[in-house]
Amino acid sequence: MSTKIDKTFIRPYGDTMNDGRMQISFSMPVKADESGKEAARQLLKQMGLDEIEICYIADLSEGFAHIVAYGNTSAFVDLTKIQVKTVDTDVMTMEETDEFVEQHLGRKITIIGACIESDAHTVGIDAILNMKGYNHRYGLERYKWFNTVNMGAQVLSEDLLAKAREMNADAILVSQIVTQKNIHVKNLTRLIEMAEAEGLRDKMLFICGGPRINHDLAIELGYDAGFGAGSYSTDVASFIVTKLANK
Amino acid sequence: MLHLTIPQDKIDSARGFAKQITHSLEELLNSYSSVTIERTVLRLLGIDGALEDGTPIPNYIVDQLKSKNALDKGVAYWISNAIVYTGLSAQEVANSVKDGKLELTQIAQQPTTEVIKVMNDLTQKMIDHIKQQRAARESYFAKYGPRNTPSLYVIVATGNIYEDVLQAKAAAKQGADIIAVIRSTAQSLLDYVPYGATTEGFGGTFATQENFRIMRKALDEVGAEINKYISLTNYASGLCMPEIAAMGAMERLDLMLNDAMYGILFRDINPQRTLLDQYFSRMINAVAGIEIQTGEDNYLTTSDAIEKAYTVTASQLINESFALLSGVSPEKMGIGHAFEIDPCIENSFSYELSHALLTKTLFPHSPIKYMPPTKHVTGNIFEAYIINAMFNMVAQMTGQGVQLLGMLTEAVHTPHLADRALAIDNAKYVFNAVKDFSSEITIDKEGFINKRAEAVLDEAISFLKRVAEQGLFNALEKGEFANIKRAQTSGKGFEGVFRKSEDYINPFMDKIKQELNLD
């Protein structure tokens, strides 16, 4: 690698620093022939790419073609000006978290999880909550100092909040996997608005998770934290106990 | 030849326990009915349509009879009685009820022989129609040739049936054998089937009879263009299981996801309701020649695919046993399983091969339904593509019947046009590359693959034995299945289960039982 990287001026890297080389794959209603390639080329040109190479075009039938292309972008980013909101609590192991709760909170923490509204996909909430866990990290059900309830799929917001009230929950975990037409945003908004109306919003932590969710979006929607793809039970558990201890 | 060496007495013993489990439910299956079974009867009598507010007419009539405490006789009687009295058709009677011009329970009791005759004629008419659809399917296959094995199964899920048609046609031309129209995500919990063509859905398109018709027509058209019969499938599951089966039978769907216990475990639908509904829906599928498919993949997406492999085997055997009770022949049972082992595990391919061979060994005549990797596919489209190739290789080597193609964009979005085409290319390449490979290799009887399969079967046997001893409902209540506890009288749709009266009639169930030689 070259000795110096100018962090204020960064482009994609193909095989030479800042060459801006990118791969692009898409389909279009064009013929898989020279005219189709030219259409793709002109599109990529308008996107600001140079040195365009349409390396593959194939007929998808019904008048569509699949295109794979490479091109150089002249766009760049300044890494010194990047700001993202992330969950910034230190991540602890299950044992450390249990110890932390014992020392700093001294009582069992009640956590209620659900896939809310229309969402029927429990894979996310299960990965975080189930005893078994995911990728060598046990789920929250296994934590000694957690009292965890997994309400499963298609739980109505009102039912989740009723349960939270009944059990005097410390944290609510909501998973949203289906994101077609931004249904996840609608569902999450509905829950938080109901929680506010019922005066529950500030009584417990509201945390959401899912492949299209990040901390930024979660904060924007009025949640305490959001966990996207690649998050583990340990991230969520550490956040909950640290936040509760600081309250 | 690639085959396992497993003692037949073990296989027999597993089947025996499964039979013990399902046969202990005969009292429930014979003495009870449900609101969706009655709505199915109405649909089969030829009643369709909806009220202004979207309530389907079958729901309206069943709810009305229920409120008059008249449902336990069965809807067929009330409609037939009204037909004799008014001289109207079934649909006209239904419309009059909808418009408030007719009150079924207020009509004087008509001569029994006439009522029975009307009922039998309408039943025969619909059974004839369903058998014609079955014959049409068979003649298409005779004309164009049989379905490929493994069949290439892809999904369309835009939410808009007309957009689905475009994608389905493209997929058919790319080589797909079976098109599944994924349902809108919440449909399984709707206690009614929406009416008419739909253009909005979440994560899928509503299953409606009109949508079935639109897609069937499109696939017949594209089939004529490419000289191939394109199969269509949907989901007879959730709270409207038999209604959807009936709609599929009428509109010539070819396969139906139709699991006996999926709704109980993964949708919290009442156990009694689910078992009753699957019993009738599978009869309808059987008489219509529709291939049912079971949903064992769900056990693995929620649990570890190695540790819980035996739950798949156990569920397969229970599903088979229930299907036999409904008259489904083994050739029409698409027993399910999935390729869901963590790709980081050493020898994961051997495990997958072992599990897939076990399924094939237990169900040699079944067009086994093989589900693709999803749990460990997380957005790295390049990795997904290679895992899918391994999945395709196992399928071809072990003779799976229906291959649900894995998408490289699993966990990213519902498949785009190019995603589907790439999945088909992947399968075609791998299937072709290892076409006859397995006929030249053998499995070491003492090796890992054979021993692993036998160990899974052993675990399944002891599990099935435990369930058989305590009974299915007790086992469900204790959370024996998928660690999920389900009580016999809780869950969605329990209020729709009722005990039949002495004079209850479901002419379709009676007729289908006759057709299928069930007692």
Side-chain angles (χ1 to χ4, degrees):
Chain A
M1 192 182 266
S2 59
T3 46
K4 255 182 128 180
I5 295 176
D6 178 1
K7 289 206 167 182
T8 65
F9 191 90
I10 291 290
R11 280 188 180 137
Y13 177 98
D15 64 1
T16 308
M17 186 52 70
N18 284 350
D19 59 13
R21 200 86 179 138
M22 300 171 76
Q23 57 188 184
I24 302 112
S25 164
F26 58 98
S27 37
M28 265 178 115
V30 294
K31 282 189 179 152
D33 60 10
E34 286 308 315
S35 71
K37 281 189 184 177
E38 183 53 28
R41 199 183 324 274
Q42 287 188 18
L43 181 92
L44 296 175
K45 193 82 197 161
Q46 285 180 58
M47 288 168 67
L49 300 180
D50 281 320
E51 303 283 329
I52 295 159
E53 186 191 348
I54 309 295
C55 52
Y56 178 76
I57 184 162
D59 183 26
L60 289 177
S61 76
E62 297 298 295
F64 291 89
H66 180 208
I67 294 136
V68 180
Y70 279 82
N72 294 356
T73 178
S74 54
F76 67 94
V77 287
D78 179 349
L79 293 189
T80 63
K81 298 218 170 103
I82 301 278
Q83 278 185 332
V84 281
K85 283 186 199 133
T86 50
V87 177
D88 53 9
T89 44
D90 291 335
V91 178
M92 298 179 272
T93 63
M94 178 175 77
E95 293 76 13
E96 287 165 353
T97 300
D98 273 332
E99 209 181 300
F100 183 94
V101 177
E102 194 174 359
Q103 282 174 8
H104 294 85
L105 296 158
R107 65 179 176 88
K108 275 208 164 190
I109 304 302
T110 299
I111 298 168
I112 299 178
C115 289
I116 56 165
E117 305 292 336
S118 54
D119 204 329
H121 301 75
T122 59
V123 53
I125 196 80
D126 287 341
I128 301 298
L129 295 184
N130 276 6
M131 192 72 83
K132 167 83 191 167
Y134 179 70
N135 208 358
H136 311 296
R137 287 152 181 99
Y138 291 128
L140 305 191
E141 285 173 356
R142 201 160 191 130
Y143 286 55
K144 257 191 302 196
W145 287 84
F146 286 171
N147 172 25
T148 309
V149 179
N150 185 351
M151 293 180 73
Q154 297 185 331
V155 177
L156 293 175
S157 293
E158 37 274 58
D159 293 345
L160 173 58
L161 294 175
K163 190 84 178 170
R165 190 188 289 279
E166 173 201 325
M167 299 197 56
N168 201 9
D170 294 290
I172 283 184
L173 298 186
V174 185
S175 169
Q176 289 284 277
I177 304 281
V178 175
T179 56
Q180 203 175 40
K181 300 194 173 91
N182 275 333
I183 182 74
H184 62 308
V185 173
K186 287 177 201 141
N187 289 345
L188 289 170
T189 305
R190 180 163 190 268
L191 175 71
I192 210 78
E193 281 174 356
M194 287 182 69
E196 263 158 25
E198 291 185 24
L200 281 176
R201 173 63 195 92
D202 297 322
K203 295 212 167 80
M204 52 196 73
L205 298 174
F206 280 77
I207 298 167
C208 53
R212 295 283 192 83
I213 285 168
N214 57 42
H215 192 54
D216 230 1
L217 174 70
I219 299 293
E220 196 186 314
L221 294 176
Y223 284 71
D224 291 293
F227 294 89
S231 303
Y232 292 111
S233 53
T234 43
D235 301 316
V236 179
S238 306
F239 174 81
I240 293 172
V241 299
T242 313
K243 199 79 180 174
L244 289 175
N246 292 341
K247 248 189 171 181
Chain B
M1 184 61 196
L2 210 56
H3 75 92
L4 297 171
T5 310
I6 290 186
Q8 187 61 40
D9 62 327
K10 282 195 180 178
I11 298 177
D12 294 344
S13 135
R15 271 215 165 81
F17 289 126
K19 191 173 172 186
Q20 203 180 321
I21 292 165
T22 61
H23 284 237
S24 70
L25 292 158
E26 274 173 314
E27 147 71 12
L28 170 77
L29 300 181
N30 291 327
S31 310
Y32 290 79
S33 182
S34 76
V35 287
T36 179
I37 290 175
E38 299 309 314
R39 298 193 300 250
T40 307
V41 170
L42 290 176
R43 290 178 185 279
L44 291 169
L45 287 168
I47 294 171
D48 196 7
L51 278 65
E52 295 262 311
D53 69 356
T55 306
I57 293 178
N59 283 65
Y60 183 76
I61 294 176
V62 165
D63 291 349
Q64 205 175 61
L65 287 173
K66 198 180 169 194
S67 72
K68 309 269 182 209
N69 292 318
L71 196 56
D72 62 351
K73 258 172 113 73
V75 287
Y77 166 77
W78 295 110
I79 295 292
S80 305
N81 191 58
I83 290 172
V84 172
Y85 175 76
T86 59
L88 298 171
S89 71
Q91 183 70 57
E92 285 164 347
V93 164
N95 290 343
S96 301
V97 172
K98 178 195 80 168
D99 297 338
K101 293 179 195 148
L102 205 57
E103 225 285 45
L104 295 175
T105 56
Q106 295 301 313
I107 297 170
Q109 192 174 341
Q110 301 299 304
T112 309
T113 48
E114 285 183 49
V115 174
I116 295 291
K117 182 171 183 328
V118 160
M119 198 187 292
N120 287 346
D121 288 351
L122 285 173
T123 303
Q124 193 58 52
K125 193 175 156 208
M126 180 54 78
I127 297 286
D128 287 346
H129 170 70
I130 289 172
K131 284 162 95 178
Q132 272 165 23
Q133 290 285 39
R134 180 180 186 150
R137 177 191 307 117
E138 282 160 8
S139 76
Y140 275 120
F141 278 126
K143 182 175 167 191
Y144 297 133
R147 212 173 70 195
N148 290 317
T149 306
S151 300
L152 304 186
Y153 174 125
V154 296
I155 65 166
V156 294
T158 65
N160 178 336
I161 188 64
Y162 301 106
E163 203 70 42
D164 285 347
V165 160
L166 173 85
Q167 302 217 0
K169 282 183 160 181
K173 287 185 179 170
Q174 287 151 14
D177 300 300
I178 302 170
I179 303 292
V181 182
I182 295 284
R183 295 195 300 175
S184 187
T185 180
Q187 190 170 0
S188 58
L189 298 183
L190 295 181
D191 210 343
Y192 65 92
V193 181
Y195 178 73
T198 66
T199 53
E200 282 223 18
F202 297 111
T205 308
F206 284 102
T208 72
Q209 193 164 347
E210 183 61 20
N211 286 350
F212 284 5
R213 213 173 283 141
I214 291 168
M215 186 57 85
R216 177 72 275 164
K217 184 165 173 280
L219 295 183
D220 283 349
E221 282 166 8
V222 76
E225 255 180 83
I226 59 176
N227 284 318
K228 177 175 168 182
Y229 184 67
I230 305 297
S231 298
L232 175 61
T233 183
N234 210 285
Y235 302 78
S237 66
L239 288 166
C240 295
M241 204 191 273
E243 287 178 275
I244 290 179
M247 287 159 37
M250 288 186 250
E251 304 303 335
R252 193 169 22 91
L253 268 69
D254 306 287
L255 305 92
M256 274 287 178
L257 194 285
N258 198 196
D259 193 280
M261 302 213 303
Y262 167 80
I264 301 172
L265 297 171
F266 303 103
R267 288 288 181 272
D268 195 12
I269 294 174
N270 174 259
Q272 299 184 56
R273 169 76 175 259
T274 301
L275 295 176
L276 287 165
D277 292 351
Q278 64 84 31
Y279 181 54
F280 188 40
S281 60
R282 285 167 161 202
M283 275 185 204
I284 296 168
N285 285 326
V287 81
I290 291 174
E291 186 172 314
I292 63 161
Q293 298 192 304
T294 62
E296 278 77 11
D297 52 286
N298 292 285
Y299 290 89
L300 302 185
T301 46
T302 50
S303 299
D304 183 82
I306 292 179
E307 209 177 292
K308 296 289 182 189
Y310 74 91
T311 61
V312 168
T313 310
S315 168
Q316 289 172 333
L317 289 158
I318 293 173
N319 255 314
E320 175 195 49
S321 191
F322 273 125
L324 288 170
L325 280 178
S326 292
V328 180
S329 67
E331 292 75 21
K332 294 286 182 185
M333 283 182 207
I335 298 290
H337 66 132
F339 188 100
E340 287 283 16
I341 293 171
D342 185 345
C344 297
I345 287 183
E346 199 169 49
N347 290 317
S348 66
F349 184 81
S350 302
Y351 276 102
E352 295 286 13
L353 195 73
S354 172
H355 296 175
L357 270 176
L358 177 60
T359 300
K360 184 67 189 172
T361 307
L362 294 174
F363 308 97
H365 307 295
S366 159
I368 298 165
K369 181 195 81 158
Y370 203 13
M371 291 289 284
T374 57
K375 192 177 169 186
H376 299 280
V377 173
T378 54
N380 179 348
I381 59 172
F382 304 101
E383 185 192 42
Y385 204 58
I386 197 166
I387 297 175
N388 285 329
M390 298 297 271
F391 161 63
N392 290 331
M393 183 162 161
V394 172
Q396 177 68 301
M397 286 178 65
T398 58
Q400 305 297 306
V402 175
Q403 186 78 344
L404 275 85
L405 296 188
M407 293 292 145
L408 77 165
T409 49
E410 174 69 40
V412 181
H413 51 227
T414 47
H416 287 175
L417 208 56
D419 302 339
R420 216 178 277 113
L422 285 166
I424 291 170
D425 287 346
N426 181 331
K428 276 186 179 168
Y429 160 65
V430 176
F431 287 177
N432 191 47
V434 296
K435 189 156 196 312
D436 298 317
F437 180 51
S438 66
S439 65
E440 294 189 54
I441 52 173
T442 52
I443 298 281
D444 179 0
K445 256 195 289 191
E446 300 301 319
F448 173 78
I449 292 171
N450 202 80
K451 285 194 161 160
R452 169 67 193 161
E454 203 173 336
V456 172
L457 182 59
D458 286 340
E459 279 182 278
I461 292 170
S462 58
F463 174 74
L464 287 167
K465 183 164 182 275
R466 203 162 70 232
V467 174
E469 278 163 6
Q470 55 190 317
L472 184 60
F473 286 127
N474 288 333
L476 284 166
E477 208 144 324
K478 280 172 61 186
E480 294 272 15
F481 290 89
N483 288 325
I484 297 167
K485 292 179 184 168
R486 298 298 187 212
Q488 194 176 341
T489 53
S490 66
K492 301 174 187 87
F494 177 55
E495 69 289 347
V497 174
F498 64 91
R499 194 174 180 91
K500 301 181 205 173
S501 67
E502 287 295 319
D503 53 357
Y504 173 89
I505 302 182
N506 175 347
F508 292 96
M509 194 181 278
D510 296 342
K511 179 75 190 161
I512 295 173
K513 278 184 174 179
Q514 227 176 355
E515 293 273 340
L516 299 171
N517 294 318
L518 298 167
D519 17 286

